C-alpha cells in the first residue's frame, strides 16, 4: 500500500497518471479479496480523478462470450464497488499454446491497445505547451522512413516514394504535435554502400553542413531513429549506424531502432527476439526498439506499430539534448567522414576550395572554412583516428562484386 502511494505521488509530480489498468484473473464469482485490492488502489490516488479500466486475463477459460460474462457479473461489481470505465477480456497465451488458437495473441494486443487509447486522460493538461522533441531519422533509401514518419504522425504528411533516392545526408524536415509532444523530425538519407566515392563525399559533406545548421538552430537533437529492414544485417547497415551515431553525434545521442517491413511476420516482436543478439555482436546498440509495419493495409499490425513507435519516442524523451556550436560540430563531422572515402584522395590547397565550390555549390567563404577543417585534420594526424575508424575496417574487408554481404 505504501509503495503504491509513493509511486502514485512520484508520477503525479512528473506528467501525472493518465490511466489505471486493474488486472485480475477471470472468475465466475468476484471475491472479497479482489474488492480489497481495488479499494487499496482507489485509496492510493488520494482523490485524484483517473480513469480505471479492467483487464481480465485467462479469457481462454471463458465458456461464454466475454460480453455475456461482463453483463452477468455486473450486479456483483456494483455490490462490491468495482466501477470501471470499460474492460477487455484477454488471453496471455501464445497462439501455439494449448488449446491452439490462431490469432489469439494479436487479438489480445489489439484489444488492450484500444482499451488504453480509448480511455486514457489527455497527456497534455489544458493550457500546457507540448514538449519539443527533435529527432533525426535515418536509413537507406526504400527502407520505409517516410512511412515511419506517417506512422508517428498518425496521418500522411510525408510522401512515400520508394523509387526516389537522394544524396547521403540530405534531409526533409517535418513538424507536428502528437499527444504531449511537439515532434521535429529530419528524415535523412543514409548510405547505400559501405563506402563512398569522392563526388559522393563532397555532396554528403554539403548536406551534413546544411543538416547541422538546421538542427543546431532548433536547439540540438534528442534522439536518433535508425530505420532498418527486417532482413539480414549487412555492412551498409553497420556503416549507416556508425555514420550517424559515431560520426555525426559522437556517440552522445541515444539511438532507437525501428525495424520495418515486418508485415509478413506472424508476431512482429518475434523478429527482435531472434536478432537482438546479432545486432549487439555487430556493434549496433540502442536504448529502445520498435518492430513495425508502415502499411495501413494491415490494420491490426499497423495499430500495434503505432503503439510501439510512440512508446519508443515517449520513453526516450527523458534523455537530454545534444548540441554544440555549428562550426565546431561541422569540423568534427568533416574529419570523421573522411574515412568513408574510397579511391582517389582529396584534392589539395586551392583545388580543394574550387572543388567544394563547383561540386558542392558552396560559397567561397564556406568552402575555405571547410577546406581548413579538412587540412587541419590531416596535420593533426587524425585522418583515421576518429570514430570513423570502424568504418575504415569495413571498407578494407567489404565484399567484392557479386559476393554476398555477411
Amino acid at each position: 500500500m505504501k509503495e503504491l502511494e509513493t509511486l502514485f505521488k512520484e508520477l503525479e509530480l512528473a506528467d501525472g497518471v493518465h490511466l489505471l489498468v486493474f488486472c485480475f484473473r477471470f472468475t465466475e464469482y468476484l471475491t472479497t479479496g479482489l474488492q480489497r485490492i481495488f479499494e487499496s488502489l482507489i485509496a492510493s490516488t488520494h482523490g485524484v480523478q483517473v480513469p480505471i479500466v479492467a483487464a481480465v486475463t485467462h479469457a481462454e477459460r471463458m465458456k461464454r462470450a466475454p460480453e455475456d460474462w461482463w453483463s452477468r457479473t455486473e450486479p456483483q461489481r456494483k455490490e462490491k464497488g468495482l466501477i470501471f470505465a470499460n474492460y477487455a477480456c484477454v488471453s496471455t497465451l501464445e497462439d501455439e499454446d494449448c488449446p491452439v488458437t490462431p490469432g489469439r495473441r494479436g487479438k489480445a494486443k489489439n484489444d488492450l491497445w484500444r482499451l488504453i487509447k480509448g480511455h486514457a486522460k489527455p497527456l497534455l493538461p489544458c493550457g500546457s505547451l507540448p514538449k519539443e522533441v527533435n529527432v533525426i531519422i535515418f536509413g537507406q533509401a526504400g527502407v520505409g522512413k517516410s512511412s515511419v514518419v506517417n506512422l508517428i504522425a498518425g496521418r500522411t504528411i510525408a510522401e512515400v516514394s520508394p523509387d526516389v533516392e537522394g544524396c547521403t545526408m540530405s534531409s526533409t524536415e517535418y513538424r507536428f504535435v502528437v499527444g504531449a509532444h511537439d515532434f521535429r523530425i529530419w528524415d535523412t538519407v543514409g548510405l547505400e554502400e559501405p563506402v563512398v566515392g569522392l563526388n559522393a563525399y563532397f555532396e554528403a559533406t554539403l548536406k551534413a553542413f546544411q543538416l547541422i545548421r538546421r538542427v543546431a538552430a532548433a536547439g540540438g537533437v534528442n534522439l536518433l531513429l535508425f530505420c532498418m529492414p527486417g532482413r539480414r544485417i549487412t555492412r551498409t547497415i553497420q556503416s549507416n549506424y556508425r555514420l550517424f551515431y559515431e560520426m555525426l553525434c559522437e556517440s552522445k545521442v541515444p539511438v532507437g531502432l525501428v525495424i520495418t517491413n515486418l508485415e509478413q511476420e506472424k508476431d512482429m516482436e518475434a523478429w527482435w527476439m531472434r536478432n537482438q543478439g546479432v545486432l549487439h555482436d555487430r556493434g549496433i546498440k540502442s536504448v529502445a526498439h520498435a518492430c513495425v509495419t508502415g502499411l495501413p493495409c494491415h490494420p491490426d499490425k499497423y495499430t500495434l506499430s503505432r503503439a510501439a513507435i510512440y512508446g519508443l519516442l515517449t520513453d526516450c524523451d527523458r534523455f537530454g539534448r545534444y548540441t554544440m556550436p555549428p562550426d565546431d560540430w561541422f569540423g568534427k563531422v568533416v574529419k570523421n567522414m573522411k574515412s568513408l572515402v574510397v579511391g582517389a584522395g582529396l584534392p589539395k590547397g586551392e583545388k580543394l576550395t574550387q572543388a567544394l565550390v563547383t561540386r558542392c555549390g558552396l560559397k567561397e567563404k564556406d568552402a575555405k572554412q571547410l577546406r581548413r577543417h579538412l587540412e587541419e585534420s590531416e596535420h593533426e594526424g587524425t585522418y583515421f583516428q576518429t570514430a570513423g575508424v570502424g568504418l575504415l575496417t569495413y571498407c578494407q574487408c567489404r565484399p567484392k562484386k557479386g559476393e554476398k554481404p555477411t
Side-chain angles (χ1 to χ4, degrees), residues 141-170:
V143 75
K145 298 188 301 295
S146 296
S147 294
V148 170
V149 173
N150 294 334
L151 192 66
I152 298 168
R155 63 187 189 278
T156 301
I157 63 171
E159 183 179 353
V160 180
S161 303
D163 297 329
V164 176
E165 296 185 8
C167 167
T168 298
M169 284 287 184
S170 60

PDB file of all heavy atoms in Angstrom, residues 141-170:
ATOM      1  N   ALA A 141      17.695   4.360 -48.546  1.00  0.00           N
ATOM      2  CA  ALA A 141      16.505   4.683 -49.331  1.00  0.00           C
ATOM      3  C   ALA A 141      15.656   3.428 -49.495  1.00  0.00           C
ATOM      4  O   ALA A 141      16.173   2.329 -49.686  1.00  0.00           O
ATOM      5  CB  ALA A 141      16.913   5.226 -50.698  1.00  0.00           C
ATOM      6  N   GLY A 142      14.347   3.593 -49.403  1.00  0.00           N
ATOM      7  CA  GLY A 142      13.444   2.475 -49.587  1.00  0.00           C
ATOM      8  C   GLY A 142      13.186   1.643 -48.354  1.00  0.00           C
ATOM      9  O   GLY A 142      12.423   0.677 -48.395  1.00  0.00           O
ATOM     10  N   VAL A 143      13.806   2.009 -47.225  1.00  0.00           N
ATOM     11  CA  VAL A 143      13.610   1.222 -46.013  1.00  0.00           C
ATOM     12  C   VAL A 143      12.282   1.532 -45.335  1.00  0.00           C
ATOM     13  O   VAL A 143      11.815   0.779 -44.489  1.00  0.00           O
ATOM     14  CB  VAL A 143      14.792   1.452 -45.031  1.00  0.00           C
ATOM     15  CG1 VAL A 143      14.670   2.810 -44.355  1.00  0.00           C
ATOM     16  CG2 VAL A 143      14.870   0.346 -43.985  1.00  0.00           C
ATOM     17  N   GLY A 144      11.666   2.656 -45.711  1.00  0.00           N
ATOM     18  CA  GLY A 144      10.367   2.997 -45.141  1.00  0.00           C
ATOM     19  C   GLY A 144      10.395   4.130 -44.143  1.00  0.00           C
ATOM     20  O   GLY A 144       9.521   4.225 -43.283  1.00  0.00           O
ATOM     21  N   LYS A 145      11.361   5.058 -44.275  1.00  0.00           N
ATOM     22  CA  LYS A 145      11.463   6.167 -43.316  1.00  0.00           C
ATOM     23  C   LYS A 145      10.239   7.078 -43.393  1.00  0.00           C
ATOM     24  O   LYS A 145       9.709   7.505 -42.359  1.00  0.00           O
ATOM     25  CB  LYS A 145      12.733   6.978 -43.571  1.00  0.00           C
ATOM     26  CG  LYS A 145      14.019   6.196 -43.397  1.00  0.00           C
ATOM     27  CD  LYS A 145      15.245   7.079 -43.480  1.00  0.00           C
ATOM     28  CE  LYS A 145      15.368   7.809 -44.795  1.00  0.00           C
ATOM     29  NZ  LYS A 145      15.579   6.880 -45.937  1.00  0.00           N
ATOM     30  N   SER A 146       9.787   7.371 -44.614  1.00  0.00           N
ATOM     31  CA  SER A 146       8.612   8.237 -44.758  1.00  0.00           C
ATOM     32  C   SER A 146       7.373   7.588 -44.150  1.00  0.00           C
ATOM     33  O   SER A 146       6.545   8.262 -43.523  1.00  0.00           O
ATOM     34  CB  SER A 146       8.364   8.550 -46.236  1.00  0.00           C
ATOM     35  OG  SER A 146       9.437   9.281 -46.784  1.00  0.00           O
ATOM     36  N   SER A 147       7.247   6.283 -44.316  1.00  0.00           N
ATOM     37  CA  SER A 147       6.119   5.566 -43.711  1.00  0.00           C
ATOM     38  C   SER A 147       6.190   5.620 -42.193  1.00  0.00           C
ATOM     39  O   SER A 147       5.156   5.705 -41.519  1.00  0.00           O
ATOM     40  CB  SER A 147       6.103   4.108 -44.185  1.00  0.00           C
ATOM     41  OG  SER A 147       5.850   4.024 -45.573  1.00  0.00           O
ATOM     42  N   VAL A 148       7.399   5.589 -41.645  1.00  0.00           N
ATOM     43  CA  VAL A 148       7.559   5.686 -40.185  1.00  0.00           C
ATOM     44  C   VAL A 148       7.163   7.081 -39.709  1.00  0.00           C
ATOM     45  O   VAL A 148       6.528   7.223 -38.658  1.00  0.00           O
ATOM     46  CB  VAL A 148       9.010   5.342 -39.775  1.00  0.00           C
ATOM     47  CG1 VAL A 148       9.248   5.670 -38.302  1.00  0.00           C
ATOM     48  CG2 VAL A 148       9.298   3.865 -40.033  1.00  0.00           C
ATOM     49  N   VAL A 149       7.528   8.118 -40.472  1.00  0.00           N
ATOM     50  CA  VAL A 149       7.103   9.486 -40.121  1.00  0.00           C
ATOM     51  C   VAL A 149       5.574   9.557 -40.084  1.00  0.00           C
ATOM     52  O   VAL A 149       4.983  10.117 -39.151  1.00  0.00           O
ATOM     53  CB  VAL A 149       7.674  10.508 -41.123  1.00  0.00           C
ATOM     54  CG1 VAL A 149       7.080  11.895 -40.863  1.00  0.00           C
ATOM     55  CG2 VAL A 149       9.200  10.572 -41.028  1.00  0.00           C
ATOM     56  N   ASN A 150       4.929   8.992 -41.093  1.00  0.00           N
ATOM     57  CA  ASN A 150       3.464   8.991 -41.126  1.00  0.00           C
ATOM     58  C   ASN A 150       2.876   8.168 -39.986  1.00  0.00           C
ATOM     59  O   ASN A 150       1.820   8.510 -39.436  1.00  0.00           O
ATOM     60  CB  ASN A 150       2.976   8.432 -42.468  1.00  0.00           C
ATOM     61  CG  ASN A 150       3.338   9.337 -43.638  1.00  0.00           C
ATOM     62  OD1 ASN A 150       3.511  10.541 -43.458  1.00  0.00           O
ATOM     63  ND2 ASN A 150       3.455   8.768 -44.814  1.00  0.00           N
ATOM     64  N   LEU A 151       3.559   7.093 -39.630  1.00  0.00           N
ATOM     65  CA  LEU A 151       3.114   6.240 -38.523  1.00  0.00           C
ATOM     66  C   LEU A 151       3.123   7.030 -37.219  1.00  0.00           C
ATOM     67  O   LEU A 151       2.193   6.950 -36.416  1.00  0.00           O
ATOM     68  CB  LEU A 151       4.041   5.025 -38.419  1.00  0.00           C
ATOM     69  CG  LEU A 151       3.622   3.862 -37.533  1.00  0.00           C
ATOM     70  CD1 LEU A 151       2.371   3.177 -38.076  1.00  0.00           C
ATOM     71  CD2 LEU A 151       4.765   2.850 -37.427  1.00  0.00           C
ATOM     72  N   ILE A 152       4.176   7.809 -37.003  1.00  0.00           N
ATOM     73  CA  ILE A 152       4.281   8.624 -35.788  1.00  0.00           C
ATOM     74  C   ILE A 152       3.200   9.704 -35.779  1.00  0.00           C
ATOM     75  O   ILE A 152       2.536   9.932 -34.767  1.00  0.00           O
ATOM     76  CB  ILE A 152       5.678   9.272 -35.690  1.00  0.00           C
ATOM     77  CG1 ILE A 152       6.765   8.199 -35.595  1.00  0.00           C
ATOM     78  CG2 ILE A 152       5.756  10.208 -34.486  1.00  0.00           C
ATOM     79  CD1 ILE A 152       8.170   8.744 -35.778  1.00  0.00           C
ATOM     80  N   ALA A 153       3.029  10.352 -36.924  1.00  0.00           N
ATOM     81  CA  ALA A 153       2.078  11.469 -37.004  1.00  0.00           C
ATOM     82  C   ALA A 153       0.631  11.009 -36.936  1.00  0.00           C
ATOM     83  O   ALA A 153      -0.256  11.774 -36.531  1.00  0.00           O
ATOM     84  CB  ALA A 153       2.302  12.257 -38.291  1.00  0.00           C
ATOM     85  N   GLY A 154       0.376   9.764 -37.341  1.00  0.00           N
ATOM     86  CA  GLY A 154      -0.990   9.272 -37.355  1.00  0.00           C
ATOM     87  C   GLY A 154      -1.771   9.733 -38.579  1.00  0.00           C
ATOM     88  O   GLY A 154      -2.985   9.557 -38.654  1.00  0.00           O
ATOM     89  N   ARG A 155      -1.058  10.285 -39.546  1.00  0.00           N
ATOM     90  CA  ARG A 155      -1.681  10.734 -40.792  1.00  0.00           C
ATOM     91  C   ARG A 155      -0.579  10.871 -41.839  1.00  0.00           C
ATOM     92  O   ARG A 155       0.611  10.804 -41.513  1.00  0.00           O
ATOM     93  CB  ARG A 155      -2.393  12.080 -40.600  1.00  0.00           C
ATOM     94  CG  ARG A 155      -1.468  13.233 -40.213  1.00  0.00           C
ATOM     95  CD  ARG A 155      -2.237  14.490 -39.870  1.00  0.00           C
ATOM     96  NE  ARG A 155      -1.399  15.648 -39.708  1.00  0.00           N
ATOM     97  CZ  ARG A 155      -0.724  15.954 -38.602  1.00  0.00           C
ATOM     98  NH1 ARG A 155      -0.804  15.158 -37.551  1.00  0.00           N
ATOM     99  NH2 ARG A 155       0.010  17.055 -38.546  1.00  0.00           N
ATOM    100  N   THR A 156      -0.962  11.065 -43.071  1.00  0.00           N
ATOM    101  CA  THR A 156       0.023  11.164 -44.149  1.00  0.00           C
ATOM    102  C   THR A 156       0.541  12.592 -44.249  1.00  0.00           C
ATOM    103  O   THR A 156      -0.182  13.504 -44.633  1.00  0.00           O
ATOM    104  CB  THR A 156      -0.598  10.739 -45.492  1.00  0.00           C
ATOM    105  OG1 THR A 156      -1.064   9.396 -45.385  1.00  0.00           O
ATOM    106  CG2 THR A 156       0.433  10.826 -46.604  1.00  0.00           C
ATOM    107  N   ILE A 157       1.796  12.780 -43.879  1.00  0.00           N
ATOM    108  CA  ILE A 157       2.434  14.089 -44.031  1.00  0.00           C
ATOM    109  C   ILE A 157       3.711  13.976 -44.871  1.00  0.00           C
ATOM    110  O   ILE A 157       4.202  14.975 -45.384  1.00  0.00           O
ATOM    111  CB  ILE A 157       2.769  14.735 -42.672  1.00  0.00           C
ATOM    112  CG1 ILE A 157       3.773  13.889 -41.897  1.00  0.00           C
ATOM    113  CG2 ILE A 157       1.517  14.952 -41.841  1.00  0.00           C
ATOM    114  CD1 ILE A 157       4.300  14.588 -40.660  1.00  0.00           C
ATOM    115  N   ALA A 158       4.250  12.765 -44.999  1.00  0.00           N
ATOM    116  CA  ALA A 158       5.458  12.535 -45.792  1.00  0.00           C
ATOM    117  C   ALA A 158       5.092  11.696 -47.008  1.00  0.00           C
ATOM    118  O   ALA A 158       4.422  10.668 -46.881  1.00  0.00           O
ATOM    119  CB  ALA A 158       6.519  11.826 -44.955  1.00  0.00           C
ATOM    120  N   GLU A 159       5.520  12.134 -48.170  1.00  0.00           N
ATOM    121  CA  GLU A 159       5.239  11.397 -49.398  1.00  0.00           C
ATOM    122  C   GLU A 159       6.080  10.135 -49.430  1.00  0.00           C
ATOM    123  O   GLU A 159       7.300  10.177 -49.240  1.00  0.00           O
ATOM    124  CB  GLU A 159       5.546  12.261 -50.617  1.00  0.00           C
ATOM    125  CG  GLU A 159       5.216  11.583 -51.937  1.00  0.00           C
ATOM    126  CD  GLU A 159       5.507  12.471 -53.127  1.00  0.00           C
ATOM    127  OE1 GLU A 159       5.844  13.656 -52.912  1.00  0.00           O
ATOM    128  OE2 GLU A 159       5.411  11.977 -54.266  1.00  0.00           O
ATOM    129  N   VAL A 160       5.432   9.008 -49.639  1.00  0.00           N
ATOM    130  CA  VAL A 160       6.134   7.727 -49.694  1.00  0.00           C
ATOM    131  C   VAL A 160       6.517   7.459 -51.142  1.00  0.00           C
ATOM    132  O   VAL A 160       5.671   7.176 -51.983  1.00  0.00           O
ATOM    133  CB  VAL A 160       5.249   6.586 -49.153  1.00  0.00           C
ATOM    134  CG1 VAL A 160       5.996   5.257 -49.218  1.00  0.00           C
ATOM    135  CG2 VAL A 160       4.818   6.890 -47.721  1.00  0.00           C
ATOM    136  N   SER A 161       7.824   7.561 -51.417  1.00  0.00           N
ATOM    137  CA  SER A 161       8.323   7.379 -52.785  1.00  0.00           C
ATOM    138  C   SER A 161       9.515   6.438 -52.756  1.00  0.00           C
ATOM    139  O   SER A 161      10.672   6.881 -52.705  1.00  0.00           O
ATOM    140  CB  SER A 161       8.738   8.728 -53.397  1.00  0.00           C
ATOM    141  OG  SER A 161       7.661   9.636 -53.375  1.00  0.00           O
ATOM    142  N   PRO A 162       9.277   5.126 -52.769  1.00  0.00           N
ATOM    143  CA  PRO A 162      10.369   4.165 -52.628  1.00  0.00           C
ATOM    144  C   PRO A 162      11.380   4.196 -53.761  1.00  0.00           C
ATOM    145  O   PRO A 162      12.503   3.733 -53.607  1.00  0.00           O
ATOM    146  CB  PRO A 162       9.636   2.817 -52.599  1.00  0.00           C
ATOM    147  CG  PRO A 162       8.331   3.069 -53.281  1.00  0.00           C
ATOM    148  CD  PRO A 162       7.980   4.481 -52.942  1.00  0.00           C
ATOM    149  N   ASP A 163      11.016   4.740 -54.910  1.00  0.00           N
ATOM    150  CA  ASP A 163      11.940   4.747 -56.043  1.00  0.00           C
ATOM    151  C   ASP A 163      12.857   5.963 -56.062  1.00  0.00           C
ATOM    152  O   ASP A 163      13.769   6.045 -56.866  1.00  0.00           O
ATOM    153  CB  ASP A 163      11.152   4.708 -57.358  1.00  0.00           C
ATOM    154  CG  ASP A 163      10.346   3.420 -57.493  1.00  0.00           C
ATOM    155  OD1 ASP A 163      10.809   2.393 -56.953  1.00  0.00           O
ATOM    156  OD2 ASP A 163       9.259   3.456 -58.099  1.00  0.00           O
ATOM    157  N   VAL A 164      12.585   6.933 -55.177  1.00  0.00           N
ATOM    158  CA  VAL A 164      13.372   8.162 -55.166  1.00  0.00           C
ATOM    159  C   VAL A 164      14.537   8.021 -54.191  1.00  0.00           C
ATOM    160  O   VAL A 164      14.343   7.687 -53.033  1.00  0.00           O
ATOM    161  CB  VAL A 164      12.499   9.376 -54.766  1.00  0.00           C
ATOM    162  CG1 VAL A 164      13.363  10.620 -54.676  1.00  0.00           C
ATOM    163  CG2 VAL A 164      11.394   9.572 -55.790  1.00  0.00           C
ATOM    164  N   GLU A 165      15.751   8.254 -54.680  1.00  0.00           N
ATOM    165  CA  GLU A 165      16.923   8.198 -53.827  1.00  0.00           C
ATOM    166  C   GLU A 165      17.597   9.563 -53.825  1.00  0.00           C
ATOM    167  O   GLU A 165      17.780  10.171 -54.875  1.00  0.00           O
ATOM    168  CB  GLU A 165      17.907   7.124 -54.321  1.00  0.00           C
ATOM    169  CG  GLU A 165      17.338   5.713 -54.239  1.00  0.00           C
ATOM    170  CD  GLU A 165      18.365   4.678 -54.614  1.00  0.00           C
ATOM    171  OE1 GLU A 165      19.541   5.058 -54.790  1.00  0.00           O
ATOM    172  OE2 GLU A 165      18.006   3.507 -54.731  1.00  0.00           O
ATOM    173  N   GLY A 166      17.979  10.023 -52.659  1.00  0.00           N
ATOM    174  CA  GLY A 166      18.650  11.303 -52.549  1.00  0.00           C
ATOM    175  C   GLY A 166      20.104  11.111 -52.176  1.00  0.00           C
ATOM    176  O   GLY A 166      20.586  10.003 -51.991  1.00  0.00           O
ATOM    177  N   CYS A 167      20.799  12.228 -52.081  1.00  0.00           N
ATOM    178  CA  CYS A 167      22.198  12.204 -51.666  1.00  0.00           C
ATOM    179  C   CYS A 167      22.297  11.884 -50.181  1.00  0.00           C
ATOM    180  O   CYS A 167      21.457  12.289 -49.381  1.00  0.00           O
ATOM    181  CB  CYS A 167      22.808  13.565 -51.967  1.00  0.00           C
ATOM    182  SG  CYS A 167      24.405  13.852 -51.186  1.00  0.00           S
ATOM    183  N   THR A 168      23.346  11.146 -49.811  1.00  0.00           N
ATOM    184  CA  THR A 168      23.593  10.856 -48.401  1.00  0.00           C
ATOM    185  C   THR A 168      23.630  12.151 -47.595  1.00  0.00           C
ATOM    186  O   THR A 168      24.265  13.122 -47.986  1.00  0.00           O
ATOM    187  CB  THR A 168      24.927  10.104 -48.235  1.00  0.00           C
ATOM    188  OG1 THR A 168      24.840   8.852 -48.919  1.00  0.00           O
ATOM    189  CG2 THR A 168      25.228   9.840 -46.772  1.00  0.00           C
ATOM    190  N   MET A 169      22.934  12.159 -46.473  1.00  0.00           N
ATOM    191  CA  MET A 169      22.839  13.279 -45.539  1.00  0.00           C
ATOM    192  C   MET A 169      21.823  14.342 -45.971  1.00  0.00           C
ATOM    193  O   MET A 169      21.595  15.303 -45.239  1.00  0.00           O
ATOM    194  CB  MET A 169      24.202  13.951 -45.280  1.00  0.00           C
ATOM    195  CG  MET A 169      25.111  13.174 -44.368  1.00  0.00           C
ATOM    196  SD  MET A 169      24.570  13.231 -42.655  1.00  0.00           S
ATOM    197  CE  MET A 169      25.898  12.351 -41.838  1.00  0.00           C
ATOM    198  N   SER A 170      21.201  14.201 -47.156  1.00  0.00           N
ATOM    199  CA  SER A 170      20.140  15.150 -47.497  1.00  0.00           C
ATOM    200  C   SER A 170      18.937  14.849 -46.605  1.00  0.00           C
ATOM    201  O   SER A 170      18.701  13.707 -46.224  1.00  0.00           O
ATOM    202  CB  SER A 170      19.764  15.032 -48.973  1.00  0.00           C
ATOM    203  OG  SER A 170      19.294  13.734 -49.278  1.00  0.00           O
TER     204      SER A 170
END
